[in-house]
Amino acid sequence: MATETPLEGDVGRRRKQAVKEKLLLRDLALRHRLGILGVGLLALLPLLAQPRELNQFTYVLYLMMFAISWDVVSGYTGQLSFGHAFFFALGGYGTSVTVNQHLVPLLDGLGVTLGPVGTTVVILAGIVGGTLVAALGGVLIGVPALRLEGPYLSLVTLIAPLLLYQSFIIFGEELPVLAPNGLGGTSGLLNEPPSFVGIGTNAAVTVDQLWVDAVARYYISFLALLIVLAVTYGVTRSAAGSVFTAIREDEDAVQSVGLNPAKFKIFAFVLSAAVGGFAAAVWMHAGPNAYPNTENLFGPGRIDLSINVIVVAVIGGMGTIVGSLVGALFFAFADSVIGAFVPELKPLPTFLLGMVALTFLPRGVVPEATRFGRRLLAWRRGEVDSLVERDRTSAAKRTVDRYREEIEEIIGGEGR
Amino acid sequence: MSAEPETGARADRERSYGPDDGILVADDLRKEFGGLVAVDDLSFAVQEQEILGFIGPNGAGKSTTFNCVTGTYPPTDGTVYFKGEDVTGIPAHDMVKEGMSRTFQEFAPLEDRPVVKNVELALAPDELFTLSGMGGETEQLAREICRRVGLGEVMDQTPSELPHAGMLKLELGRAIATQPDVMLVDEPFAGLSADEVQELTEVMESLRQHGMTLIVVDHNMRGLLNLIDRAFVIQFGSKIAEGTPEEITDDPEVQEAYLGGEEI
Ligand SMILES: Nc1ncnc2c1ncn2[C@@H]1O[C@H](COP(=O)(O)OP(=O)(O)O)[C@@H](O)[C@H]1O
Ligand SMILES: [Mg+2]
């Protein structure tokens, strides 16, 4: 190499050491401690809630995962997706079809009776299948994303779930080879996939009390959330994360330092799709109201869920991962308040909430709170705050700005 | 094109180069934009650890030549050899991995992160799953590079806070961070004061001492005299002269090219 580096030798070893130290949570920043505290509180929630409330809250965990899925690709790389339900539906239907139309009939044919362990294994295989199907969907959207400008890509993401929806109807009775018993049309797959834990017979572990069922579902879902957090945190906090955000800023700059933007873009799509598909797949076996139907996986109006995850991620803070957790809490709270008072207006008020957040807290709650916290700490130390936090425009604003530029380019805006 | 027998005029104009004539070789490089010939069958070879001045009036095709060499645009015709291999038309990011990096005339720093993080991006491996960035050692290296190019005091600022010279240093720092063997520097001295030119000259000289090969573009030779070993002058996409800085300034064709304009 032409340039000498001041870091010869066992960089790899030191790197592992540093990661280990981080994992031991030594000298962690305040916001990280608060984050861990928050996740800890989530873990304790079942101690406080009634079964019915708990079930509602379990759904919020899925909302968190769905929003994280959106954030990975849209929040980090700035490629706005308006149809993330595409991936959720692939994951949810993927596992249901894998289990009920392939694995169970196959094992039945072989004369195998499944005990608790066997059923669990079948369910896990289904989740893997659903995740893979969704990841494949990620490739399907990610590859055109390489050639399309932002607004055109958004159009593709908008149409993809609608096409999928239509295909559920077209192949309602039968999809040769892939889904021999069909995709169930608008009413969804009536044949529910088995649960990990449930009250009826269609479960790996049968329980007889409502609250045990609710608590078990909560913790399985919570475990899924931890997995999603670990994976997405790992990727976005590694160098790949800074490449993602650099793509959001300027693809040419990324290319000019020897990084292949195409590779990272596809990866972001596949990771996002896999995360969303995984969450939906787990939902089908552990969530509350776990029916594989279009209303659940696309939302009642076909696009509601896709829009909701955007609202959640934007409220919490785009490009942060943890923002999705906080955003989902806000969203669920607002949603239940609205549901209690003016249910007929749904889902408009929650969309409105997203717009309000964009206007007044464009960075989102988490980055805004971090900034505030830093100022406070600096003030307590007696520092002048200008040095502590420089005003950097938010991910949301930068993404929207770039998007507007691209639209202007497409329609030949005179402003250029 | 290359198979065609050499006519007198062509043999007179340029000689053909092969892959081993230098660390970076362009042979009959051509770039057309519609009807406009921006680079007109240009051939040149750069030797290892050389500092070559690439000079020509505005619009002569210098940046376009760079864009074709580094894979930003595919050339219309001709061949680029790098380290003895044909690298014509490979993507820009692969070219960087081969060991060639460049700076841009129009800066495009990432505004969402501080200067040091801009440099750090250039240190990121082109891999999807990596522990890199977790341990903080790339940041340490990025800081070291910032110090070397004279950004030590300002590396925690955002690029928009940098003065013009600072932006240039950032471009240089990002290019250096990719650990290139050959670096193409596009118009580094435009708009700099004499002191700043001197500072950058020293940075580039020290890079050469560490084994790097440099091509420095400028529209005249003023800032380059102390830096370059050899100059290569183009106009309308073709070579008009080649030689030591002294030979060039005395060359009648060069003087004519600059007639009425600025001094060479
Ligand atoms: N992308 C492009 N499309 C069309 N014409 C271009 C493009 N880039 C450069 N040119 C033209 O090619 C010629 C050479 O430009 P350039 O290489 O930028 O010159 P220099 O860097 O020597 O000032 C100019 O006439 C310029 O207008
Ligand atoms: Mg130029």
Side-chain angles (χ1 to χ4, degrees), chain B:
Chain B
M1 172 103 227
S2 44
E4 128 198 353
E6 295 221 335
T7 63
R10 220 190 117 215
D12 186 45
R13 203 173 66 215
E14 320 217 306
R15 78 179 178 85
S16 230
Y17 284 102
D20 298 318
D21 283 331
I23 183 166
L24 173 65
V25 179
D27 186 35
D28 273 345
L29 200 63
R30 185 177 188 84
K31 182 68 186 177
E32 296 169 13
F33 294 110
L36 178 93
V37 182
V39 180
D40 192 357
D41 296 335
L42 205 59
S43 298
F44 59 87
V46 191
Q47 305 309 317
E48 232 167 294
Q49 260 187 294
E50 181 180 28
I51 302 185
L52 175 72
F54 204 81
I55 297 159
N58 274 328
K62 306 179 297 291
S63 296
T64 306
T65 305
F66 270 28
N67 285 334
C68 291
V69 167
T70 56
T72 309
Y73 304 145
T76 310
D77 206 347
T79 317
V80 179
Y81 300 103
F82 186 52
K83 297 179 182 170
E85 287 185 20
D86 185 345
V87 294
T88 318
I90 72 172
H93 55 88
D94 282 334
M95 208 61 203
V96 175
K97 270 177 264 177
E98 296 286 328
M100 183 187 312
S101 72
R102 67 171 296 181
T103 68
F104 284 88
Q105 212 174 336
E106 306 85 23
F107 317 117
L110 303 168
E111 300 284 0
D112 69 333
R113 61 197 78 192
V115 169
V116 62
K117 291 283 171 193
N118 267 268
V119 174
E120 202 180 321
L121 181 73
L123 294 166
D126 192 19
E127 289 162 20
L128 302 175
F129 301 98
T130 164
L131 283 178
S132 173
M134 300 279 225
E137 87 289 339
T138 45
E139 180 171 345
Q140 205 180 320
L141 182 51
R143 288 185 177 278
E144 178 60 30
I145 291 168
C146 284
R147 266 179 234 116
R148 286 203 195 169
V149 296
L151 289 170
E153 305 292 310
V154 294
M155 59 189 162
D156 292 312
Q157 297 181 5
T158 52
S160 56
E161 294 173 272
L162 293 181
H164 179 78
M167 289 287 229
L168 236 160
K169 290 174 187 168
L170 173 55
E171 274 292 307
L172 211 57
R174 288 202 315 167
I176 292 170
T178 65
Q179 307 210 326
D181 301 313
V182 174
M183 194 156 87
L184 312 180
V185 193
D186 202 348
E187 306 237 8
F189 298 136
L192 293 196
S193 73
D195 283 350
E196 289 164 340
V197 169
Q198 186 54 33
E199 190 188 351
L200 271 190
T201 300
E202 277 161 24
V203 170
M204 287 193 261
E205 182 55 48
S206 105
L207 288 174
R208 182 245 290 273
Q209 297 301 332
H210 284 104
M212 210 183 278
T213 307
L214 289 114
I215 306 180
V216 184
V217 169
D218 213 324
H219 53 271
N220 62 38
M221 287 237 293
R222 245 176 326 180
L224 297 182
L225 281 171
N226 299 329
L227 179 64
I228 61 177
D229 308 314
R230 187 161 64 97
F232 189 93
V233 187
I234 69 168
Q235 189 187 20
F236 305 125
S238 314
K239 176 177 103 169
I240 55 172
E242 184 177 0
T244 63
E246 296 75 37
E247 286 166 3
I248 294 298
T249 32
D250 295 340
D251 187 292
E253 201 178 345
V254 172
Q255 282 175 346
E256 192 184 328
Y258 279 84
L259 210 69
E262 356 164 32
E263 55 180 319
I264 173 82

